[in-house]
Amino acid sequence: TFGLTPLSQQELGHPNPRRESTKQRAQGSVVGARDNVNRKTFKETVKPGWHYFGRKMDVTDFEWAMWFTAFRNHILFALSGHVIFAKICSMISPKNRSLIYMLYGCLTVLIIMGWTYVSLILSHCIILYSVALMKRKWLCFVAGLTSLATFKMEPFNSWQAGFVTGTFELQDILFYGGCGFSIMRCMSFALENCEKKDGNYTFMDLIKYNFYLPFFFFGPIMTFDRFHVQANDPNLTRKPREMWNITIHALVHLGSILVVDVFLHYLYILTIPSDMKLVKELSDWSLAGLAYSNLVYDWVKSAVMFGVINTVSQLDHLDPPQPPKCITMLYVFAETHFDRGINDWLCKYVYDYIGGNHDGIFKELVATISTFAVTTLWLGPCELVYIWSFFNCFGLNFELWVAKLFALPPLSTIEGVMSEAMSRRIRGLFNAVNFWQIILYNVLALNSLDFAKLVAKRLLFKGFPLSTLSVLFVTYCGIQLVKERERKLALLEEPEPSEPGKPKTD
């Protein structure tokens, strides 16, 4: 699709000079240039994959390659053990199932990471629990963000990592994943304890919440108030067709894993942007499709990774955070997120808490800046994260500014005399531009700043007007389909009006 067919037909390495014709060397043709691009990049990011089909695999995304190839069996063993152990113990003592989940999680983390790691996690839990007893939200935020900074900034993160012994390949990833999510869970516990009117939650409640194994290392984050109620509910009856729905979701995730594997073996959409020489040879449409495909892939990866964990938690009678909304269905920054758990956490404790109803321009600005400041610390402060946070913060506020502008006369008066369909069409034009802002602002975090700058330059300047307008037109058509689908769903959810004189029935 993107002009990389030769990569799948010959060994990835330096081209054989004996196969180059004299005409190619003399003319410097495109084929010759493509054969001489930075092959070292492809040798590092394209590895042997499906031997029987003769396909090499794009391994640029280390997370996917790690979870679904190298350590697939380890993950299946740990999660299967949790499901079996939790099911047996829940049948024996449903009232104590949260305690059983905690014991299994602590034992598993202890075996994998060692007692020094568990001691380090417990020390942070003790500190944040002590702060939670004071019931001061600002103090909980200061203590929690300080603890999070010790795992995201030097030299504190390296100093703490030195306490954990062992040299296995997953150590660093599990270390920072478990520590980061633990701090966010402890902050949720502390903030919910501030809201508790009568007394305090116990330290055991925090340990049960933090050491629930499916969520421990890589989330998603489920806020403490929801987890505490659901994990301590002794009523384990299921809704009609609930197990059927869980099975369907599990099969969908399995199918998604196979589809992504096909993409990684045939399209190489992740490794192409790493070679700017090759990317510059692509057409405007191929470049736009490549940027869009990278965001779609990241959404599918997030949906699958969190979906597998969510399936396990649903078997434990929990209602976990939902998967992220598909990037194809997005046209506003307010719904742009790849981790619904982190998004729910930020909205509840930062964004909605400060922004209120999000109508005031100044309060919205303070809320978004505060939210992305916490997000920057969560992702790990660096130049690329700063740029990503700035542009997404600007996009979120720009939407409010435009909405306020359209609410003022004469624009509001003009829209008032339009039909509903015409109003949607005009708004769709702005949403089409917004859609590509979302892609450009997020692709720089998924690939590189140079790739994002190249896509923006080709679509906005070099490709104007033909490529720019044609891409926006296709985007506009897609957004109109999404809006029509949302309109029909909203009509189905509206209650039917009752007839005059007829009593309402439940």
Side-chain angles (χ1 to χ4, degrees):
T1 303
F2 302 112
L4 277 190
T5 305
L7 290 180
S8 60
Q9 296 176 349
Q10 61 185 11
E11 291 295 326
L12 295 172
H14 295 287
N16 189 341
R18 290 177 296 179
R19 295 184 180 180
E20 294 183 344
S21 64
T22 306
K23 183 177 180 180
Q24 283 180 333
R25 292 197 301 270
Q27 295 180 349
S29 64
V30 175
V31 176
R34 186 179 299 164
D35 287 339
N36 286 281
V37 295
N38 188 3
R39 291 303 181 87
K40 291 183 179 180
T41 302
F42 295 135
K43 289 184 68 175
E44 294 175 356
T45 58
V46 181
K47 301 294 183 180
W50 290 344
H51 174 72
Y52 294 104
F53 293 95
R55 304 299 305 183
K56 294 183 179 293
M57 180 180 178
D58 187 344
V59 295
T60 305
D61 190 339
F62 74 95
E63 283 185 308
W64 187 273
M66 177 179 62
W67 295 130
F68 295 101
T69 56
F71 300 100
R72 177 183 59 236
N73 296 334
H74 300 79
I75 296 170
L76 289 176
F77 178 78
L79 292 180
S80 300
H82 170 83
V83 172
I84 296 173
F85 183 80
K87 184 62 178 178
I88 294 175
C89 295
S90 296
M91 293 173 62
I92 297 175
S93 180
K95 293 183 179 180
N96 299 317
R97 61 192 182 98
S98 60
L99 177 63
I100 295 169
Y101 297 157
M102 181 208 71
L103 293 175
Y104 181 85
C106 288
L107 182 62
T108 304
V109 174
L110 180 64
I111 294 174
I112 295 176
M113 300 296 292
W115 69 270
T116 53
Y117 178 78
V118 176
S119 301
L120 179 64
I121 295 293
L122 288 175
S123 65
H124 282 273
C125 291
I126 292 172
I127 293 173
L128 292 177
Y129 176 75
S130 301
V131 174
L133 296 179
M134 301 180 186
K135 293 200 172 187
R136 295 290 185 272
K137 286 188 175 182
W138 68 269
L139 193 59
C140 294
F141 265 108
V142 171
L145 295 179
T146 302
S147 295
L148 184 62
T150 61
F151 292 108
K152 300 294 182 178
M153 302 175 67
E154 291 288 354
F156 307 104
N157 55 352
S158 299
W159 175 69
Q160 292 184 96
F163 288 107
V164 180
T165 58
T167 56
F168 61 97
E169 191 172 353
L170 267 179
Q171 176 178 317
D172 288 342
I173 299 173
L174 294 181
F175 175 84
Y176 290 109
C179 291
F181 279 101
S182 291
I183 299 302
M184 299 298 278
R185 284 188 288 264
C186 287
M187 289 182 66
S188 177
F189 171 86
L191 294 170
E192 293 298 334
N193 191 68
C194 294
E195 296 290 338
K196 188 175 174 62
K197 302 300 181 182
D198 50 337
N200 299 284
Y201 292 108
T202 65
F203 183 71
M204 184 59 67
D205 291 329
L206 173 59
I207 300 303
K208 292 177 182 179
Y209 171 50
N210 187 60
F211 282 94
Y212 178 66
L213 183 63
F215 294 164
F216 181 80
F217 285 111
F218 291 100
I221 290 180
M222 189 175 180
T223 55
F224 175 76
D225 56 332
R226 295 179 56 196
F227 180 87
H228 182 70
V229 172
Q230 297 176 21
N232 292 282
D233 185 6
N235 184 15
L236 302 183
T237 58
R238 295 193 180 275
K239 300 177 182 178
R241 299 179 62 84
E242 183 176 353
M243 282 303 300
W244 171 258
N245 293 331
I246 293 176
T247 304
I248 293 299
H249 289 160
L251 293 177
V252 169
H253 297 320
L254 179 60
S256 300
I257 293 173
L258 296 177
V259 170
V260 171
D261 229 28
V262 171
F263 287 167
L264 295 181
H265 282 85
Y266 282 89
L267 295 184
Y268 305 113
I269 59 175
L270 302 180
T271 198
I272 295 173
S274 61
D275 191 336
M276 296 304 297
K277 292 182 180 179
L278 178 60
V279 172
K280 290 178 181 178
E281 299 293 330
L282 300 178
S283 65
D284 296 341
W285 272 95
S286 298
L287 201 58
L290 182 61
Y292 168 74
S293 300
N294 271 259
L295 259 73
V296 171
Y297 164 78
D298 201 67
W299 168 79
V300 173
K301 182 189 75 172
S302 300
V304 170
M305 294 181 67
F306 290 128
V308 172
I309 298 299
N310 287 351
T311 301
V312 175
S313 63
Q314 286 175 339
L315 293 175
D316 293 335
H317 298 269
L318 299 181
D319 183 19
Q322 295 301 309
K325 191 174 182 179
C326 178
I327 187 66
T328 308
M329 310 291 288
L330 293 176
Y331 50 85
V332 291
F333 278 89
E335 298 180 351
T336 306
H337 50 262
F338 294 92
D339 185 341
R340 186 69 65 92
I342 290 292
N343 182 75
D344 292 345
W345 192 100
L346 290 170
C347 286
K348 181 173 184 178
Y349 300 122
V350 184
Y351 184 60
D352 292 337
Y353 180 76
I354 298 176
N357 56 7
H358 305 291
D359 285 337
I361 292 179
F362 179 74
K363 289 183 65 176
E364 179 73 0
L365 181 62
V366 174
T368 52
I369 292 176
S370 302
T371 301
F372 280 101
V374 176
T375 306
T376 300
L377 180 61
W378 163 251
L379 295 176
C382 65
E383 182 182 4
L384 195 61
V385 175
Y386 295 148
I387 298 173
W388 174 86
S389 295
F390 171 80
F391 280 110
N392 280 273
C393 183
F394 168 77
L396 198 58
N397 282 277
F398 186 72
E399 285 180 348
L400 178 62
W401 301 339
V402 173
K404 290 290 186 181
L405 179 63
F406 273 82
L408 298 175
L411 295 177
S412 60
T413 306
I414 296 174
E415 188 176 11
V417 299
M418 292 180 182
S419 64
E420 184 179 347
M422 181 58 68
S423 177
R424 283 202 310 272
R425 295 188 186 101
I426 294 177
R427 290 177 177 269
L429 293 175
F430 291 93
N431 294 142
V433 177
N434 213 37
F435 180 85
W436 277 99
Q437 287 187 82
I438 293 174
I439 291 180
L440 291 176
Y441 294 168
N442 286 278
V443 78
L444 64 88
L446 298 178
N447 295 110
S448 65
L449 181 59
D450 292 335
F451 178 67
K453 289 166 60 178
L454 177 63
V455 175
K457 185 185 297 183
R458 291 281 289 274
L459 291 182
L460 298 179
F461 300 105
K462 289 188 176 181
F464 188 84
L466 182 60
S467 298
T468 305
L469 296 180
S470 57
V471 168
L472 288 178
F473 175 74
V474 173
T475 306
Y476 167 80
C477 295
I479 288 175
Q480 287 300 325
L481 292 175
V482 174
K483 283 179 171 290
E484 181 63 19
R485 177 178 178 272
E486 292 177 347
R487 187 183 69 86
K488 291 181 177 179
L489 291 176
L491 291 175
L492 292 176
E493 293 176 358
E494 287 183 359
E496 295 183 1
S498 58
E499 298 180 4
K502 184 178 181 179
K504 295 181 179 179
T505 57
D506 293 334

